[in-house]
Amino acid sequence: MAKNTGVPGAVIAAGGLVGGYGVARWTRRRPLGGAVLAVAGAAAGRRWRERAGGKAAGALGAAYVAAFAGSHPLAKKVGAWPAVFGAAGAVALASWAVADRRA
């Protein structure tokens, strides 16, 4: 495993979810928000692979996508921003537990 260098995957992933939604909302261009989400997801995936290996990175990547998808129906119940922050927090916690605390 790599030394504790760089930004933790938890921060990258949470930032991608919050930033992707923010960009999509403020620019009114969903594809632009999707690009932010994808770039952050790829960067987080690379960090997870460095710190915890391929299987963990795959599982965390699936959690990232699931959090993004799950925030949509959740937003209908609690509102958009609370849903996005909840999804981001869940992915950040999973990332810390699986990959970041080991570094």
Side-chain angles (χ1 to χ4, degrees):
M1 282 188 263
K3 291 189 281 183
N4 187 9
T5 59
V7 179
V11 173
I12 298 169
L17 288 163
V18 173
Y21 175 69
V23 166
R25 181 171 177 141
W26 291 317
T27 65
R28 298 180 196 258
R29 295 177 188 236
R30 292 179 75 177
L32 190 55
V36 170
L37 184 78
V39 168
R46 189 169 37 252
R47 184 56 44 100
W48 293 328
R49 189 174 51 253
E50 290 170 358
R51 292 189 173 177
K55 288 182 182 180
L60 289 167
Y64 183 74
V65 172
F68 167 71
S71 69
H72 289 80
L74 182 60
K76 293 179 182 184
K77 295 182 180 194
V78 300
W81 280 112
V84 170
F85 285 128
V91 170
L93 182 60
S95 176
W96 177 82
V98 172
D100 296 329
R101 72 181 170 141
R102 297 178 180 195

